[in-house]
Amino acid sequence: MPYTIDPFCKQQKIPTFHELFSPVQNIFHSVPPLESKGNRPLQMNFEQQLKALIYYHLEEHSSGRDLLQELQEDDFARTEIAPPDGIKKSSFFEAINHRGLEQLLFIFTKLQADATKVLPKEYEHLGELVSIDGSFIDAVLSMHWADYRKGAKKAKAHLGFNLNHSIPSKIYLTDGKGDERPFVNKILSPGQTGIMDRYYQCHKDFDLWQTEGKHFVCRIKENTNKSVIKTNPLKPGSIVFYDALVLLGTPQVNQTEKPVRLIGYWIDAKEYWVATDRHDLTAEDIASLYKLRWNIEIFFDWWKRHLKVYHLIARSQHGLMVQILAGLITYLLLAIYCHNNFKEKVSIKRVRELRIKINNEARNLNFSPFGNYNFKEHAKNYDHAKT
């Protein structure tokens, strides 16, 4: 991307980074204040902490020490990101592991709501769609809270992904053994449709969600017992081979109290069985809805690979949640930036362009290839000498 270095222009701002950060800047006035928990004053305020974490994810740093070294030695990071007096390693890691979680949750919730107003809405005819899934995070043995199995530690992120706007909506963190199903109720709001894999199959939950007005499209096991109440007509030549109103499960054991709609269809000779309470859509629409569930897998893969979200810089549960929230906030900012500038979704191509543009602008920051030599003063003296 072209740029011009002006050797006479010092202390230039980095407009691209400020443009990326501006949606958060507009929220700061209502963020709960970050206060020191002891007698010592804060070495890094919340805005500096958030900027440092966004910079960490944006620039694909491999560790907290890598980030700290750049905050100390890189002109742009030292001037625009780090506190004016710098930040020491102990103060930085103390802040990440013990402070800022309430403020980050506030920023994430507000920014996610703001993003839904800006980003285009897909699948509007299908309603408000939320894909729900969990993702393991490799932990280290010193992270005693991240219980998984003997000799291994893992944490688990439970995520709701807004399919209409292609952005994360809600996040929860547990140890690796944490059951994913209870988080559906926390992630879904009445009127929304949760799209889930067969691990989330729970007949009591199917009843509960219908009672609460929360819709679902959930794959179920092929051998699940079903008592047919009514069959629906099928379209000739369709991938759908089954469409009926049923009670799922074994009577007197785990059978649903409320009927559900059960759809069976083939994709590449593989059978899929999907339970839902959506009676307003065609069976083919239900099959298409379940296919959209893979968007959350694509998000997890991209988010982890390109923003280095799972490269741990914290060991406490508080600190890991801080790191993950900062990664989600970074993604939301990228989604808004890519839409505003290119009318596109987030892509690694646009993120690379953004990084290059910030680095190009940063080269103008205090840039002077001849040290402190004053060219303008020299030119003035030269002109005066000629006269």
Side-chain angles (χ1 to χ4, degrees), residues 115-133:
T116 60
K117 300 173 185 177
V118 174
L119 302 176
K121 186 176 182 179
E122 296 184 90
Y123 320 116
E124 189 168 4
H125 64 293
L126 299 176
E128 297 288 339
L129 310 177
V130 180
S131 184
I132 301 172
D133 204 358

Side-chain angles (χ1 to χ4, degrees), residues 211-225:
T211 300
E212 295 180 344
K214 299 175 180 178
H215 306 300
F216 59 92
V217 173
C218 182
R219 187 180 176 188
I220 67 169
K221 298 173 183 176
E222 297 177 14
N223 61 354
T224 301
N225 288 334

Side-chain angles (χ1 to χ4, degrees), residues 23 26-27 29-30 104-117 332:
N26 297 331
I27 302 174
H29 66 89
S30 54
L104 282 164
L105 281 168
F106 183 92
I107 289 282
F108 171 68
T109 302
K110 187 68 170 64
L111 187 61
Q112 191 273 336
D114 290 347
T116 60
K117 300 173 185 177
L332 288 172

Side-chain angles (χ1 to χ4, degrees), residues 34 47 95 116-117 166 185 209 211 224 246 278 283 304 344:
L34 180 65
E47 180 175 353
T116 60
K117 300 173 185 177
S166 297
N185 253 6
W209 298 338
T211 300
T224 301
V246 304
R278 294 290 300 270
K304 289 186 287 186
E344 296 175 3

Side-chain angles (χ1 to χ4, degrees), residues 96 101 104-105 145 157-158 170-174 314 316-328:
I96 300 302
L101 182 56
L104 282 164
L105 281 168
W145 61 270
H158 307 267
K170 290 186 181 179
I171 183 77
Y172 296 91
L173 184 68
T174 66
S316 68
Q317 188 169 5
H318 179 287
L320 183 55
M321 188 64 170
V322 162
Q323 179 179 341
I324 290 174
L325 280 170
L328 292 175

